[in-house]
């Protein structure tokens, strides 16, 4: 991959890692400010937190569940940030795993809104747009970073990761069934 594109992709990776760390810390601090971690906080339609007993509320809205998710996000974000600096493809997996788990939990929570709202309101909401756009953006960024870290010039040893631009052999296109490779040394 050309240097400018690899820098562009790495910048997106750093932005994702810093965002995960930032929001992880923000949510953890927010949860720690709650006096009783068993107390449940949920949003009403206007975006204001309501204190309710912890009976049938969605577990992601419970402070202890949110604290656990926040701490795992901080850990995964830190591993991903260090992996970005060291360009290790193995460090993408913890981040991708927690992202997939958390996205699935949020998707289930979003689908449970169908009990209170109509199908059109749920599908045409901003939440649905976010649930579609962010996983595509993060997923493609993680996939390209994985390929980028897999195919670093110092690590390539003829495994097919070299770009055509960086190859020393000329490229020859043929239109027929016969391929004459006698010109390749």
């Amino acid at each position: 991959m050309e240097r400018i594109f690899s820098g562009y992709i790495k910048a997106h990776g750093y932005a994702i890692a810093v965002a995960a760390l930032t929001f992880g810390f923000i949510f953890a601090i927010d949860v720690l400010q709650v006096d009783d971690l068993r107390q449940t906080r949920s949003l009403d339609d206007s975006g204001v937190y309501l204190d309710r007993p912890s009976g049938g509320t969605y577990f992601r809205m419970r402070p202890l569940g949110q604290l656990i998710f926040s701490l795992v996000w901080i850990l995964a974000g830190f591993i991903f940030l260090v992996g970005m600096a060291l360009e290790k493809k193995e460090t993408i997996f913890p981040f991708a795993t927690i992202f997939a788990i958390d996205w699935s939990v949020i998707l289930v929570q979003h689908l449970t809104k169908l009990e209170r709202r109509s199908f059109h309101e749920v599908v045409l909401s901003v939440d649905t747009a976010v649930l579609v756009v962010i996983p595509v953006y993060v997923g493609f960024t993680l996939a390209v970073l994985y390929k980028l870290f897999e195919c670093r010039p110092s690590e390539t040893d003829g495994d097919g990761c070299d770009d055509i631009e960086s190859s020393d052999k000329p490229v020859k296109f043929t239109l027929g069934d016969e391929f004459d490779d006698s010109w390749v040394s």
Side-chain angles (χ1 to χ4, degrees):
M1 184 178 291
E2 290 191 34
R3 187 177 209 148
I4 192 161
F5 292 128
S6 65
Y8 179 75
I9 294 298
K10 283 180 69 174
H12 283 275
Y14 280 117
I16 291 170
V18 169
L21 285 170
T22 302
F23 286 112
F25 278 117
I26 288 171
F27 291 141
I29 290 170
D30 183 47
V31 169
L32 291 175
Q33 289 178 352
V34 174
D35 293 334
D36 184 15
L37 285 180
R38 296 175 212 231
Q39 176 183 357
T40 300
R41 297 173 71 193
S42 60
L43 289 171
D44 66 355
D45 292 334
S46 64
V48 177
Y49 281 106
L50 300 175
D51 295 330
R52 296 184 186 169
S54 59
T57 309
Y58 194 67
F59 80 94
R60 183 71 156 88
M61 292 301 211
R62 294 182 183 154
L64 188 58
Q66 180 63 41
L67 181 64
I68 291 170
F69 269 96
S70 297
L71 294 177
V72 171
W73 267 113
I74 291 169
L75 179 65
F78 182 72
I79 290 170
F80 184 54
L81 189 64
V82 169
M84 288 286 303
L86 299 176
E87 295 186 359
K88 299 288 182 184
K89 65 182 178 182
E90 295 83 14
T91 60
I92 294 173
F93 294 122
F95 187 85
T97 302
I98 189 62
F99 181 80
I101 290 169
D102 203 10
W103 181 79
S104 299
V105 167
I106 292 171
L107 179 66
V108 168
Q109 181 184 9
H110 186 68
L111 291 176
T112 58
K113 290 181 182 179
L114 286 172
E115 295 174 357
R116 293 176 277 141
R117 293 176 159 177
S118 71
F119 179 75
H120 294 295
E121 287 178 337
V122 172
V123 170
L124 298 176
S125 68
V126 174
D127 295 339
T128 303
V130 169
L131 280 171
V132 171
V133 171
I134 289 180
V136 170
Y137 169 72
V138 172
F140 278 125
T141 302
L142 293 179
V144 172
L145 281 171
Y146 183 82
K147 185 67 175 171
L148 176 69
F149 294 161
E150 183 178 57
C151 299
R152 288 319 246 169
S154 62
E155 297 175 3
T156 56
D157 47 315
D159 59 354
C161 290
D162 291 330
D163 287 342
I164 292 175
E165 292 87 9
S166 64
S167 177
D168 293 334
K169 296 179 183 177
V171 177
K172 180 179 178 183
F173 296 101
T174 61
L175 297 175
D177 292 334
E178 298 177 21
F179 180 70
D180 180 25
D181 62 351
S182 62
W183 58 275
V184 178
S185 57

